[in-house]
Amino acid sequence: MKDVEKLYETLRKIQEPKGYYFNRDKKRVFELIEALIVNRERYGYMCCPCRLGSGDREKDMDIICPCVYRPPDVKEYGSCYCNLYVSKEWNEGTIPHEYVPERRPEEKFPF
Protein backbone atom coordinates (compact mmCIF):
# COMPACT_ATOMS: atom_id res chain seq x y z
CA MET A 1 0.00 0.00 0.00
CA LYS A 2 2.95 2.29 0.62
CA ASP A 3 3.92 2.27 -3.09
CA VAL A 4 0.33 3.10 -4.03
CA GLU A 5 0.18 6.05 -1.63
CA LYS A 6 3.56 7.34 -2.82
CA LEU A 7 2.57 7.16 -6.50
CA TYR A 8 -0.80 8.76 -5.66
CA GLU A 9 0.90 11.77 -4.08
CA THR A 10 3.49 12.08 -6.85
CA LEU A 11 0.87 11.99 -9.62
CA ARG A 12 -1.52 14.27 -7.74
CA LYS A 13 1.16 16.96 -7.42
CA ILE A 14 1.95 16.74 -11.14
CA GLN A 15 -1.59 16.49 -12.52
CA GLU A 16 -3.68 18.83 -10.36
CA PRO A 17 -1.90 21.97 -11.59
CA LYS A 18 -2.82 20.82 -15.11
CA GLY A 19 -6.51 20.64 -14.14
CA TYR A 20 -6.70 16.84 -13.79
CA TYR A 21 -7.88 15.50 -10.45
CA PHE A 22 -8.16 12.02 -9.06
CA ASN A 23 -11.66 10.64 -8.76
CA ARG A 24 -13.01 11.41 -5.29
CA ASP A 25 -13.58 7.66 -4.80
CA LYS A 26 -10.18 7.04 -3.24
CA LYS A 27 -10.73 3.27 -2.99
CA ARG A 28 -11.27 3.09 -6.76
CA VAL A 29 -8.28 5.36 -7.38
CA PHE A 30 -6.00 3.21 -5.22
CA GLU A 31 -7.15 0.07 -7.10
CA LEU A 32 -6.31 1.74 -10.41
CA ILE A 33 -2.94 2.98 -9.15
CA GLU A 34 -2.16 -0.51 -7.90
CA ALA A 35 -2.95 -1.79 -11.42
CA LEU A 36 -0.61 0.87 -12.87
CA ILE A 37 2.15 -0.45 -10.63
CA VAL A 38 1.43 -4.04 -11.73
CA ASN A 39 1.59 -2.94 -15.37
CA ARG A 40 4.87 -1.12 -14.73
CA GLU A 41 6.31 -4.34 -13.29
CA ARG A 42 4.83 -6.42 -16.13
CA TYR A 43 5.70 -4.19 -19.10
CA GLY A 44 8.28 -1.73 -17.80
CA TYR A 45 5.86 1.19 -18.22
CA MET A 46 2.56 2.26 -16.69
CA CYS A 47 0.06 1.13 -19.26
CA CYS A 48 -3.52 2.29 -18.70
CA PRO A 49 -5.07 -0.06 -16.11
CA CYS A 50 -8.33 -0.40 -18.02
CA ARG A 51 -6.84 -1.34 -21.37
CA LEU A 52 -4.94 -4.39 -22.52
CA GLY A 53 -1.31 -3.62 -23.21
CA SER A 54 0.71 -5.43 -25.84
CA GLY A 55 4.04 -5.35 -24.02
CA ASP A 56 5.51 -3.33 -26.90
CA ARG A 57 6.16 0.20 -25.61
CA GLU A 58 6.03 1.73 -29.10
CA LYS A 59 2.64 0.17 -29.84
CA ASP A 60 1.32 1.19 -26.43
CA MET A 61 2.56 4.81 -26.41
CA ASP A 62 -1.02 6.07 -26.71
CA ILE A 63 -2.14 4.21 -23.57
CA ILE A 64 0.77 4.95 -21.25
CA CYS A 65 -0.89 6.71 -18.32
CA PRO A 66 -1.90 9.44 -18.58
CA CYS A 67 -3.02 8.29 -22.01
CA VAL A 68 -3.43 10.52 -25.05
CA TYR A 69 -7.19 10.05 -24.81
CA ARG A 70 -7.44 11.66 -21.37
CA PRO A 71 -7.60 15.32 -22.53
CA PRO A 72 -10.50 14.84 -24.96
CA ASP A 73 -12.30 12.48 -22.56
CA VAL A 74 -12.07 14.89 -19.62
CA LYS A 75 -13.01 17.82 -21.85
CA GLU A 76 -16.09 16.06 -23.24
CA TYR A 77 -17.18 13.83 -20.34
CA GLY A 78 -15.40 15.23 -17.28
CA SER A 79 -13.58 11.93 -16.81
CA CYS A 80 -11.05 9.73 -18.53
CA TYR A 81 -12.04 6.26 -19.75
CA CYS A 82 -11.26 4.48 -16.48
CA ASN A 83 -12.43 7.33 -14.22
CA LEU A 84 -8.99 7.74 -12.67
CA TYR A 85 -8.61 11.35 -13.78
CA VAL A 86 -11.58 13.68 -13.64
CA SER A 87 -12.40 17.35 -13.79
CA LYS A 88 -13.14 19.43 -10.71
CA GLU A 89 -16.77 19.67 -11.87
CA TRP A 90 -17.05 15.88 -12.17
CA ASN A 91 -15.81 15.44 -8.60
CA GLU A 92 -18.18 18.14 -7.37
CA GLY A 93 -21.12 16.47 -9.11
CA THR A 94 -22.02 19.60 -11.10
CA ILE A 95 -21.81 17.68 -14.40
CA PRO A 96 -23.36 14.27 -15.15
CA HIS A 97 -21.28 11.13 -14.75
CA GLU A 98 -21.69 9.63 -18.19
CA TYR A 99 -20.17 6.53 -19.69
CA VAL A 100 -16.90 7.41 -21.43
CA PRO A 101 -16.64 5.46 -24.69
CA GLU A 102 -13.39 3.89 -25.85
CA ARG A 103 -11.51 6.26 -28.19
CA ARG A 104 -8.61 3.96 -28.94
CA PRO A 105 -8.85 2.76 -32.55
CA GLU A 106 -9.56 -0.95 -32.92
CA GLU A 107 -6.46 -1.49 -35.01
CA LYS A 108 -4.37 -0.65 -31.92
CA PHE A 109 -5.94 -3.43 -29.84
CA PRO A 110 -3.36 -6.16 -29.18
CA PHE A 111 -5.62 -9.07 -30.14
Side-chain angles (χ1 to χ4, degrees):
M1 186 59 97
K2 213 169 195 165
D3 289 342
V4 171
E5 290 172 356
K6 186 177 177 180
L7 185 55
Y8 173 89
E9 280 304 317
T10 299
L11 294 174
R12 185 186 63 74
K13 288 176 185 173
I14 294 168
Q15 300 304 324
E16 281 187 4
K18 298 177 184 178
Y20 297 104
Y21 301 88
F22 282 128
N23 185 329
R24 68 176 174 234
D25 181 348
K26 205 166 185 179
K27 182 178 184 276
R28 168 91 173 132
V29 168
F30 275 33
E31 289 169 353
L32 290 167
I33 290 176
E34 190 170 347
L36 283 172
I37 292 169
V38 167
N39 283 345
R40 182 175 62 196
E41 291 167 0
R42 180 182 294 148
Y43 302 122
Y45 51 92
M46 292 194 305
C47 185
C48 181
C50 53
R51 293 183 169 103
L52 189 58
S54 69
D56 180 330
R57 187 181 185 93
E58 281 302 309
K59 289 182 182 175
D60 291 341
M61 287 300 289
D62 63 320
I63 59 170
I64 293 176
C65 189
C67 72
V68 300
Y69 309 105
R70 180 185 71 171
D73 285 350
V74 173
K75 183 176 181 180
E76 187 173 349
Y77 298 98
S79 171
C80 69
Y81 183 64
C82 60
N83 301 132
L84 176 62
Y85 289 107
V86 300
S87 67
K88 186 177 174 186
E89 296 78 15
W90 195 93
N91 263 344
E92 292 171 346
T94 58
I95 62 171
H97 293 187
E98 297 180 40
Y99 171 75
V100 180
E102 174 63 272
R103 289 183 192 266
R104 191 174 201 213
E106 246 183 75
E107 63 269 10
K108 291 197 168 230
F109 291 4
F111 44 87

